[in-house]
Amino acid sequence: MALEQFINKIKSAFSSVSVVTYILVVIFGTGSWIAINGIWVELPIIVQEIPESWSLPSYLTVIIQLANIAPLAFTLGNKFFPRVVTEVPVIYICSFVGVASCALLGFFWKETTFIVGAERSTALLVLCFFQSMVDCTSSVAYIPYMSIFREVYMSPYFAGEGLSGLLPSIVAIIQGIGGGEHKPCVSEGSINNGTTGNETDTGSWGPGPKFSAAVFFWFLSAMMFASGLAFLLLNYLPVAKRQQVNKNTSTSYHITQPTGSSPWELASVEQWGNTKQMKGQEAVQNGSSSHSTALLLVIIAIVSGLSNGIIPAIQSYACIPYSYYIYHLTVTLSAIANPVTCLVFPLIRSTSTVVISFLTVIYIGMCTYIIIVATQSPSVLLRCEDSGAALMVAISVSAVAVVTYIKVAIGGIMRGKGRSYLLWFGAVTQVGSCIGALSIFAPVNVYGYFKQE
């Protein structure tokens, strides 16, 4: 009986959703971060053929932070010239620049220029800068644009955003890395005594990539084109336009929790999607006060700093000591956990600030464990035990699922408050990510607190 009720609620949750619009929103969302995510997963191949070699990630970190000038300019322009600087034309520009920069990388990524006494990958670095501007701007342009659609379409957008990391990872796995060796398992005592001990698991990943980096970049260009085409259809396709809310009143929409309902429940689209206009006093009574909004923005800044800045920078130090296989397994499963969480979210959503805060504490605890293990590299906790590797994979993947839930939940709440709140949501996400990335740069690259070998 309980199973039948569960199935009925699932059917009810998606009964009034336009499948075409749902798919278009997912495809549109993939264009948000696919360019930069693609660059990161392709690094093992790129660094083998460019003069910067393994120092390229440090260059990219700086480039991505410099690219935040684009979303800053958009935010200020939208604030002071709201009739001129709007989401729609900016997204069209982002789509065009994204397609062009990815395609040009396919032709010129290995081209170098002799600058300051050394060869530099100028084409790669410049095009990565344009890609970074596109992806960073997506946080403050793509998300506010979604406010013109019913609230239920926020979840597929975040699913698409998750796929922007998953799809390049899958293609990179199919492509193959080649040339990498497994880390031998060496006991802590052997490391301390300066001996090698009993080394095992030495093989390689394979003969080499199945196709070149140029083909991979053209794949990214095709995905950006698909995202731009989906955006065009969302604006002009009648079936998609019918899923839009009244633009004149969309900024007054709020998410309300049904009377007597639990913070956690299986909710139908009609219960949560048909939002109502509320006055300021009613919003306070339903937990939508300015204090809770400020707390949610602080939470999104913290979790963005960890998930987009700190953890990606040190994840390799926490996983590679167990083996390269564990590192790739962690990255792959984490990429899968993101869109899966987004797809499941409509069934177990929560708008409770208490629940979101509790999940944030759990996520910070998981990140703390990953950071502690990373600082121990290469002699990490339970290095030669299967339990140590399994624990690292489980915590890392669970952390991605938890932080994805937090982001989608807060994004849905902000969408209910209106477009301006979604703009703040995107801006705070970028600020938190920037602070996180900059804060971990010196410990990794200057002070050497994290060691791979």
Side-chain angles (χ1 to χ4, degrees), residues 220-268:
L220 296 182
S221 181
M223 290 302 303
M224 285 298 303
F225 177 81
S227 174
L229 181 60
F231 176 68
L232 180 67
L233 295 175
L234 285 173
N235 284 317
Y236 294 102
L237 203 64
V239 66
K241 295 182 71 173
R242 285 195 294 269
Q243 298 300 314
Q244 297 178 2
V245 297
N246 190 331
K247 296 182 181 180
N248 295 327
T249 60
S250 61
T251 56
S252 300
Y253 276 69
H254 295 262
I255 297 176
T256 61
Q257 184 170 307
T259 305
S261 63
S262 168
W264 292 88
E265 69 173 4
L266 293 171
S268 69

Side-chain angles (χ1 to χ4, degrees), residues 95-392:
S95 298
F96 174 79
V97 173
V99 171
S101 58
C102 290
L104 290 173
L105 270 178
F107 292 102
F108 303 111
W109 71 275
K110 288 197 290 186
E111 298 297 323
T112 61
T113 305
F114 191 80
I115 300 177
V116 194
E119 291 290 333
R120 312 286 181 182
S121 302
T122 49
L124 175 65
L125 298 177
V126 170
L127 291 173
C128 283
F129 175 72
F130 281 103
Q131 288 181 327
S132 300
M133 286 199 299
V134 169
D135 289 3
C136 292
T137 304
S138 71
S139 292
V140 294
Y142 285 33
I143 296 177
Y145 167 77
M146 290 304 302
S147 66
I148 69 174
F149 289 91
R150 294 168 51 206
E151 191 268 340
V152 69
Y153 292 104
M154 282 301 298
S155 184
Y157 170 79
F158 281 109
E161 191 173 84
L163 288 174
S164 71
L166 174 62
L167 293 179
S169 299
I170 293 176
V171 174
I173 290 174
I174 296 173
Q175 179 186 25
I177 302 299
E181 294 183 351
H182 294 286
K183 285 291 183 182
C185 180
V186 183
S187 65
E188 183 176 354
S190 298
I191 294 176
N192 293 335
N193 294 330
T195 61
T196 58
N198 184 22
E199 299 184 3
T200 59
D201 192 30
T202 58
S204 66
W205 281 108
K210 294 180 177 64
F211 50 85
S212 67
V215 175
F216 183 85
F217 290 133
W218 291 330
F219 158 75
L220 296 182
S221 181
M223 290 302 303
M224 285 298 303
F225 177 81
S227 174
L229 181 60
F231 176 68
L232 180 67
L233 295 175
L234 285 173
N235 284 317
Y236 294 102
L237 203 64
V239 66
K241 295 182 71 173
R242 285 195 294 269
Q243 298 300 314
Q244 297 178 2
V245 297
N246 190 331
K247 296 182 181 180
N248 295 327
T249 60
S250 61
T251 56
S252 300
Y253 276 69
H254 295 262
I255 297 176
T256 61
Q257 184 170 307
T259 305
S261 63
S262 168
W264 292 88
E265 69 173 4
L266 293 171
S268 69
V269 170
E270 294 306 318
Q271 282 178 301
W272 293 97
N274 294 335
T275 55
K276 299 178 181 180
Q277 296 185 27
M278 298 174 59
K279 297 180 180 180
Q281 182 178 359
E282 292 173 330
V284 172
Q285 293 175 350
N286 285 276
S288 299
S289 66
S290 59
H291 295 291
S292 63
T293 300
L295 175 60
L296 293 176
L297 291 176
V298 170
I299 288 175
I300 202 65
I302 293 174
V303 299
S304 295
L306 288 169
S307 63
N308 299 337
I310 295 176
I311 298 302
I314 56 92
Q315 187 77 68
S316 59
Y317 297 95
C319 294
I320 288 177
Y322 296 108
S323 75
Y324 280 99
Y325 171 75
I326 293 301
Y327 179 51
H328 280 270
L329 182 64
T330 300
V331 172
T332 303
L333 294 181
S334 296
I336 294 174
N338 187 298
V340 169
T341 303
C342 292
L343 291 173
V344 173
F345 176 79
L347 306 177
I348 51 173
R349 70 178 63 211
S350 174
T351 57
S352 168
T353 303
V354 175
V355 171
I356 294 175
S357 301
F358 177 71
L359 290 176
T360 302
V361 173
I362 293 177
Y363 176 68
I364 292 175
M366 293 176 172
C367 291
T368 301
Y369 177 82
I370 297 173
I371 294 172
I372 291 175
V373 172
T375 58
Q376 297 174 344
S377 179
S379 181
V380 297
L381 179 67
L382 300 173
R383 183 187 185 196
C384 295
E385 302 291 335
D386 291 340
S387 58
L391 184 62
M392 175 53 62

Side-chain angles (χ1 to χ4, degrees), residues 25-67:
V25 171
V26 172
I27 297 174
F28 169 61
T30 60
S32 57
W33 284 95
I34 196 168
I36 292 303
N37 287 332
I39 287 291
W40 282 109
V41 299
E42 193 69 2
L43 279 180
I45 292 178
I46 296 176
V47 296
Q48 299 179 41
E49 301 188 49
I50 61 173
E52 288 81 7
S53 187
W54 282 105
S55 65
L56 179 62
S58 62
Y59 284 88
L60 290 180
T61 301
V62 175
I63 286 173
I64 292 173
Q65 301 314 315
L66 291 176

Side-chain angles (χ1 to χ4, degrees), residues 410-424:
I410 296 179
I413 293 173
M414 294 303 172
R415 182 254 173 263
K417 292 175 179 293
R419 191 195 67 85
S420 62
Y421 286 88
L422 280 175
L423 182 63
W424 276 108

